[in-house]
Amino acid sequence: MSTTTLPAPGQNPTLHTKRLPAVAFLGIAVVALGVSAAICYGTGLGGWVLTLVIGLVLYMVGVYFAVRAVEGSRSARNRTWSALIHSAFVLAVLPLASVTWTLISKGMERFDGDFFNSSMNNIGARDPNGGAYHAIIGTLEQVGIAALITIPLGVLGAIYIVEYGRGRFTFLIRFFVDVMTGIPSIVAGLFVLAFWVLIVSPWFNNGAPAFSGFAAALALSVLMLPTIVRSTEEMLRLVPAPLREGSYALGVPKWKTILKIVIPTALPGIVTGIMLSIARAAGETAPVLLVAGGSAAINFNPFTGQQGSLSLFVFQQAGDASRFAPARAWTGALTLVALVLILTIAAKLLARRNRIPR
């Protein structure tokens, strides 16, 4: 027969259990990595990647048996799953950290004023100079035009689907948006090449087909539109129905409810979807190569003449035989990532200012 000891008056009841000290987990990790390194490097099975994988497995086994011996089997299962979740997070972050470090370490070699103030026009294979000024201008103009086209269309299309759409027509819109989501970028480029460059542009160029940055913007619009529609649709559906009903109960028209209540509530998520589409468009190479030509000279006019982009610049420099080209390619990639990051931060700050306060 078990007895329970009641705490004295004024004292809090406490539950005392045995727990494995935190230093024990560090010791298990060190022993697991040591054994794993001895196995991998001693037998020649592999390098540091295989060492980490085997060490992780040994660490899980060691944690389970150590905790089971001290705290019991139930706590051992809990600690093991917790360690597995944290290890999965670390494994997921490692590739991102590796890519970031590689990009920064190699991209800083040509991160100078000459790179951002000069183009590749008249730059030979033995010339260490040359930059991506023309490519930066092209990326900003092409993505900007594509955003001006797709953001209003995508947001209005999502509003129609959520707030007004009913029946077969709405189903067809959603179906074709889903189909467009999986279109390869090369297909979008071929579509604009066949329609705009070969059919429409000769009307404005004395009967001759013409490459242009605007044609690249049209191809990027085809890629951006489905992402904006789907992400905006999902964000609008997350807006609580009582917000709409309260506005209708006060006599506010539906269009004004959408403009003043629904969109500001869903604005952070809408901005996130828009920035995802912009990031994808800025990194596309095939459509720009097909319909813009990829000129090495600076061209401020997106409607006339060939034009380059940062993604195409990286592609061209990565395949160039010059010994100075890889440094330009890495710096171009770093510039592209930094540009998208700056735009994303700016858009997030703007959305935070304009959303409804809680």
Side-chain angles (χ1 to χ4, degrees):
M1 183 175 181
S2 62
T3 60
T4 303
T5 303
L6 297 176
Q11 294 181 349
N12 294 323
T14 57
L15 181 63
H16 297 281
T17 59
K18 293 182 179 180
R19 293 184 64 85
L20 193 67
V23 68
F25 294 96
L26 180 60
I28 295 172
V30 172
V31 172
L33 286 177
V35 174
S36 177
I39 294 175
C40 293
Y41 289 99
T43 60
L45 290 177
W48 65 272
V49 177
L50 185 61
T51 301
L52 288 178
V53 174
I54 296 178
L56 177 61
V57 175
L58 294 177
Y59 174 72
M60 294 298 171
V61 175
V63 166
Y64 177 80
F65 284 104
V67 175
R68 183 177 181 179
V70 177
E71 303 179 16
S73 59
R74 185 174 183 177
S75 181
R77 290 192 297 268
N78 180 57
R79 290 292 191 99
T80 302
W81 280 107
S82 298
L84 182 62
I85 292 172
H86 288 89
S87 301
F89 171 76
V90 172
L91 290 178
V93 170
L94 279 178
L96 178 61
S98 176
V99 170
T100 303
W101 170 252
T102 303
L103 190 62
I104 294 176
S105 61
K106 295 188 176 182
M108 292 303 295
E109 181 177 347
R110 282 297 319 276
F111 204 83
D112 50 32
D114 179 71
F115 183 83
F116 294 101
N117 290 286
S118 62
S119 68
M120 291 299 297
N121 197 27
N122 298 324
I123 299 296
R126 297 183 179 181
D127 194 340
N129 298 321
Y133 182 64
H134 64 295
I136 296 173
I137 295 298
T139 296
L140 291 176
E141 291 185 349
Q142 293 163 20
V143 175
I145 294 173
L148 289 176
I149 295 173
T150 54
I151 291 176
L153 288 177
V155 173
L156 291 175
I159 291 175
Y160 174 80
I161 292 174
V162 175
E163 303 292 340
Y164 297 97
R166 299 292 185 275
R168 183 176 300 178
F169 182 64
T170 303
F171 171 79
L172 289 176
I173 294 176
R174 189 179 291 111
F175 172 76
F176 283 111
V177 167
D178 291 338
V179 171
M180 290 177 61
T181 304
I183 291 180
S185 59
I186 190 70
V187 176
L190 288 173
F191 168 73
V192 174
L193 176 67
F195 171 69
W196 182 265
V197 176
L198 299 180
I199 298 178
V200 178
S201 66
W203 296 354
F204 308 97
N205 195 43
N206 299 323
F211 295 105
S212 64
F214 180 73
L218 292 178
L220 298 180
S221 299
V222 176
L223 301 174
M224 292 173 60
L225 185 60
T227 303
I228 295 177
V229 173
R230 291 299 292 167
S231 61
T232 304
E233 178 188 354
E234 294 301 325
M235 291 302 104
L236 293 177
R237 292 188 185 279
L238 292 177
V239 176
L243 290 178
R244 297 181 176 88
E245 295 169 356
S247 179
Y248 298 151
L250 294 174
V252 180
K254 187 171 186 177
W255 68 269
K256 202 167 187 178
T257 300
I258 296 172
L259 186 63
K260 298 292 185 179
I261 302 297
V262 177
I263 292 181
T265 304
L267 189 59
I270 294 175
V271 170
T272 300
I274 291 174
M275 294 313 301
L276 286 175
S277 66
I278 289 177
R280 181 192 177 186
E284 290 293 346
T285 303
V288 182
L289 181 63
L290 281 174
V291 300
S295 173
I298 300 172
N299 180 14
F300 290 98
N301 189 351
F303 301 98
T304 304
Q306 298 184 11
Q307 195 175 54
S309 70
L310 274 173
S311 58
L312 184 58
F313 174 82
V314 173
F315 172 76
Q316 292 172 341
Q317 293 300 309
D320 199 309
S322 172
R323 65 188 181 93
F324 303 106
R328 299 192 196 107
W330 282 109
T331 307
L334 178 61
T335 304
L336 180 59
V337 173
L339 183 63
V340 173
L341 180 61
I342 292 172
L343 292 176
T344 302
I345 294 175
K348 286 289 187 179
L349 293 177
L350 182 63
R352 181 178 299 179
R353 287 186 58 188
N354 293 327
R355 69 180 180 181
I356 296 178
R358 295 183 178 180

